[in-house]
């Protein structure tokens, strides 16, 4: 379980020490306003925390804490999980991100998501990746476009809410010319 390292960030495989950060972010209405579930209570955040730990143990990928390379501060999270999206060459994975509101507007989500996008294709073996956003969440839509993803239609998210899906295939990713070796 290696860290992913970017110019400003260290993306750490999910660990027990990040539970309080997940509880705090998932209870923040600003972070959760575009998540169909709305804010989480501490119990549900704990269940999702345990699930994230289990995904790493079982699959060797999953949610990562986004931390500052300078001082190790928790800035948010980025996730990679298997997707049930249809109409794509498999395996298909979904990426997502949450950033602490104090860090919004600094490119943290784009930098973290690009690193996980590259991991999905280079190490995990994705043939396609998808990401979903609620139509009012134009910030996430811009991030998806920066990642090289393109619109793939409207869907219903895991919480039963309408969302828009963006996708990127391995061939499209290779044409981006951005694949980089992962840091050890």
């Amino acid at each position: 379980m290696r860290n992913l390292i970017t110019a400003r960030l260290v993306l750490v495989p999910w660990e027990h020490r990040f539970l309080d950060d997940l509880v705090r972010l998932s209870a923040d209405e600003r972070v959760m306003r575009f998540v169909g579930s709305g804010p989480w209570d501490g119990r549900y955040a704990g269940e999702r925390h345990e699930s994230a730990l289990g995904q790493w143990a079982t699959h060797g990928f999953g949610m990562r804490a986004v931390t500052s390379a300078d001082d190790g501060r928790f800035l948010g999270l980025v996730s990679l999980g298997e997707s049930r999206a249809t109409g794509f060459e498999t395996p298909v994975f979904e990426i997502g991100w949450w950033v602490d509101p104090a860090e919004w507007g600094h490119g943290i989500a784009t930098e973290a998501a690009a690193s996980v996008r590259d991991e999905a294709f280079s190490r995990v073996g994705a043939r396609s990746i998808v990401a979903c956003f609620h139509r009012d969440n134009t910030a996430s839509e811009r991030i998806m476009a920066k990642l090289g993803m393109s619109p793939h239609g409207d869907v219903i998210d895991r919480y039963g809410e309408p969302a828009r899906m963006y996708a990127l295939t391995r061939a499209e990713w290779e044409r981006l010319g951005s694949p980089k070796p992962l840091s050890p």
Side-chain angles (χ1 to χ4, degrees), residues 164-184:
R164 186 153 291 144
M165 179 182 288
Y166 270 50
L168 181 69
T169 66
R170 173 180 290 283
E172 292 165 338
W173 172 73
E174 290 171 349
R175 282 193 293 274
L176 290 175
S178 64
K180 300 171 185 73
L182 297 175
S183 301

Side-chain angles (χ1 to χ4, degrees), residues 40-95:
W40 297 350
D41 63 25
R43 181 195 54 76
Y44 185 66
E47 290 172 8
R48 294 298 296 264
H49 167 75
E50 290 298 323
S51 177
L53 293 170
Q55 183 179 352
W56 273 101
T58 303
H59 300 292
F61 64 87
M63 192 155 63
R64 290 179 176 273
V66 178
T67 64
S68 167
D70 290 336
D71 59 15
R73 273 180 309 114
F74 181 88
L75 306 174
L77 61 87
V78 62
S79 65
L80 178 66
E82 295 175 336
S83 174
R84 295 184 190 147
T86 59
F88 299 97
E89 187 176 356
T90 59
V92 182
F93 294 88
E94 184 171 353
I95 63 172

Side-chain angles (χ1 to χ4, degrees), residues 6 78 95 109-119 146-147 173:
T6 71
V78 62
I95 63 172
T110 302
E111 190 172 329
S115 187
V116 169
R117 172 203 62 197
D118 294 347
E119 177 187 39
K146 289 177 186 177
L147 295 175
W173 172 73

